[in-house]
Amino acid sequence: AQTVTQSQPEMSVQEAETVTLSCTYDTSESNYYLFWYKQPPSRQMILVIRQEAYKQQNATENRFSVNFQKAAKSFSLKISDSQLGDTAMYFCAFMKPKRGGADGLTFGKGTHLIIQP
Amino acid sequence: EPEVTQTPSHQVTQMGQEVILRCVPISNHLYFYWYRQILGQKVEFLVSFYNNEISEKSEIFDDQFSVERPDGSNFTLKIRSTKLEDSAMYFCASSEKVSPGQPQHFGDGTRLSIL
């Protein structure tokens, strides 16, 4: 079974700073997908970024980028030029592709990120 | 942008009663999921559904739970004989999965409170 660990329950940074959220995972699979989801106080979880394990290049989406270290099983999220709207719970999630079926996500416990004005 | 919608947003039920949580996935999606999040804990996978049958289920998804796609748009989670520990946020999600690893799109959730 896969496990996902987010070791930072809460982080707080000033607006415009850069912040890195850590995530490690444990799996024996070689092919898998990793995600960061954001859950603002309004509750809906929103996809932030997606990484395919077989791609060495780190995914980026505007101010959001990841540092994917497959050997170390690490998948950290970097938020540049943080904004007040980035305040949310951030969840790291793992997906093992299931041939012909629907793949459940394994989530970490989340990091509560607070952006201070 | 299309969204996953869940109703009700908050459900209060007496212990031992049955409850049905409803979801309308994104219309062209074929893969559906239920997750739960007990207060202060991580989001946990319950079940996935494809082609009118359960694709995968977790240990949590025991005989107390069932899922159904009663028509072309709704996807429901039924909990029979609810227990206090069923109190949680329940999230529905859907995905296209035209290729492996497609992201799942989540609804706002239903907060279930068992009294």
Side-chain angles (χ1 to χ4, degrees), chain B residues 13-21 34 36 38 44 46-47 54 57-68 76-88 90 112-115:
Chain B
T13 301
Q14 290 289 329
M15 186 173 62
Q17 296 295 306
E18 175 182 285
V19 65
I20 296 176
L21 310 183
W34 282 103
R36 80 172 183 191
I38 295 171
E44 300 172 292
L46 291 178
V47 66
I54 290 174
K57 60 183 181 179
S58 70
E59 299 174 343
I60 304 166
F61 194 87
D62 59 22
D63 292 344
Q64 180 196 11
F65 294 90
S66 62
V67 289
E68 192 178 31
T76 61
L77 174 69
K78 181 190 290 185
I79 310 175
R80 286 181 283 273
S81 188
T82 49
K83 300 177 281 202
L84 293 176
E85 53 265 38
D86 294 328
S87 294
Y90 287 81
L112 178 63
S113 301
I114 307 300
L115 304 179

Side-chain angles (χ1 to χ4, degrees), chain A residues 25-41:
Chain A
Y25 58 93
D26 189 25
T27 184
S28 58
E29 303 292 328
S30 58
N31 183 30
Y32 50 87
Y33 298 83
L34 295 162
F35 303 85
W36 278 98
Y37 279 89
K38 168 185 176 181
Q39 187 182 35

Side-chain angles (χ1 to χ4, degrees), chain A residues 8 11-21 62-66 76-83 86 113-116:
Chain A
Q8 305 149 312
M11 296 186 72
S12 180
V13 299
Q14 295 292 121
E15 194 176 6
E17 288 184 348
T18 293
V19 60
T20 299
L21 310 183
N62 302 313
R63 297 183 295 108
F64 298 88
S65 61
V66 298
S76 60
L77 174 70
K78 185 172 85 171
I79 306 173
S80 304
D81 185 27
S82 57
Q83 301 173 0
D86 295 333
L113 176 64
I114 301 167
I115 308 299
Q116 304 276 8

